[in-house]
Amino acid sequence: MKTIIHKSNERGHANHGWLDAYHSFSFASWFNPEKVHFGVLRVLNDDTIAGGMGFGMHPHDNMEIITIPLEGALAHKDSMGNSATIETGDIQVMSAGTGVMHSEFNPNHDKQTKLFQIWLFPNKQNVTPRYQQITLDKGLEKNNFAQILSPNPEDIGVWIHQDAWFYLSNFDKDFSKKLNLKKEGNGFYIMNIEGEIDISGTILGKRDAIGIWETPEIEIKANSNAKFLVMEIPME
């Protein structure tokens, strides 16, 4: 088993006033040659968007873009004709494929929005762009690895053009559970959202993360009530 630890205070940080962003991997003006990507995981941004603010129309192509609101809401519009709002408890995916324009705004002027935006390299180039959002069953996260994303349109959660599986979990203090890989050769990247967890003796606090590969399974124990995101992704 191999591991790499990414502590929360080692992330890139850019405060633009309306946007307070932390970057787990090199992004925009922040570049760290040791943190360009982990397998096909290219971007993991931890964004706080001020009330009424957001990103105007901008382009993407050949990237799988996943947005998970942690607090508040996000209004989305795109060149495919989609116009929708996602809130805490939802997940959104956009396969940029041959190219798409979109905008993202906090629709509430009196509340901030907090979210993870995650980019994965796809396993197919130049696909037809697509958009999907669902509301998660948050009850499934309790002391469980609740699947929220997969490669399969018929499976639980949203789907993407990549052999990846995402899970959201809420563990009670002292609870532990094992998770097996879905595909041989993949790795795990775990972002701890709240609380404290223990993975093979490595302690992760709030917003700490760990990459793990060359192992068929992991076991996660909660040292306190904890919420975390597990991403199983191809390493190549």
Side-chain angles (χ1 to χ4, degrees):
M1 182 174 75
K2 293 182 178 179
T3 63
I4 186 167
I5 300 168
H6 291 161
K7 302 294 286 185
S8 63
N9 61 0
E10 297 171 352
R11 297 179 295 172
H13 182 218
N15 192 337
H16 304 282
W18 66 273
L19 171 67
D20 192 10
Y22 288 88
H23 312 306
S24 293
F25 300 97
S26 296
F27 190 83
S29 62
W30 183 69
F31 179 75
N32 182 330
E34 296 180 355
K35 293 182 178 180
V36 176
H37 64 95
F38 177 80
V40 301
L41 175 58
R42 173 62 190 87
V43 167
L44 174 48
N45 287 347
D46 184 359
D47 292 346
T48 299
I49 304 171
M53 304 301 288
F55 303 89
M57 278 286 179
H58 58 282
H60 292 283
D61 65 72
N62 288 315
M63 196 68 70
E64 300 294 307
I65 300 169
I66 302 105
T67 303
I68 305 173
L70 303 174
E71 180 182 314
L74 190 72
H76 167 98
K77 290 185 180 180
D78 64 45
S79 55
M80 295 177 282
N82 298 297
S83 179
T85 298
I86 55 171
E87 299 180 344
T88 307
D90 296 339
I91 181 172
Q92 173 199 87
V93 64
M94 190 172 67
S95 299
T98 54
V100 67
M101 301 277 292
H102 78 137
S103 65
E104 303 163 289
F105 279 88
N106 178 353
N108 300 313
H109 289 267
D110 59 341
K111 298 177 183 177
Q112 63 185 10
T113 294
K114 294 186 177 183
L115 59 88
F116 286 155
Q117 187 163 98
I118 300 161
W119 299 4
L120 299 185
F121 294 116
N123 58 15
K124 297 177 182 178
Q125 294 289 301
N126 299 317
V127 301
T128 300
R130 59 176 290 272
Y131 175 87
Q132 183 187 10
Q133 72 176 70
I134 62 168
T135 297
L136 304 171
D137 183 347
K138 297 187 75 174
L140 296 177
E141 299 173 12
K142 185 71 168 178
N143 292 331
N144 188 35
F145 297 107
Q147 182 177 298
I148 63 170
L149 177 148
S150 79
N152 309 309
E154 300 82 15
D155 210 345
I156 298 169
V158 295
W159 70 275
I160 63 170
H161 297 282
Q162 188 51 272
D163 293 324
W165 289 261
F166 284 15
Y167 308 88
L168 271 174
S169 300
N170 268 303
F171 277 16
D172 291 331
K173 182 182 179 182
D174 296 327
F175 182 82
S176 66
K177 191 176 177 72
K178 291 182 179 180
L179 179 65
N180 294 308
L181 278 178
K182 291 278 193 179
K183 184 176 181 181
E184 186 177 357
N186 279 3
F188 294 104
Y189 194 84
I190 300 102
M191 166 60 79
N192 191 35
I193 301 171
E194 298 283 350
E196 184 180 279
I197 57 176
D198 183 334
I199 305 174
S200 300
T202 297
I203 307 301
L204 301 183
K206 181 178 178 178
R207 299 304 204 269
D208 291 341
I210 187 172
I212 303 173
W213 67 107
E214 294 187 6
T215 182
E217 69 174 19
I218 56 172
E219 183 172 7
I220 301 179
K221 177 180 180 292
N223 290 342
S224 67
N225 292 342
K227 181 179 178 72
F228 53 91
L229 171 67
V230 178
M231 294 169 272
E232 178 189 326
I233 53 173
M235 295 304 294
E236 297 182 356

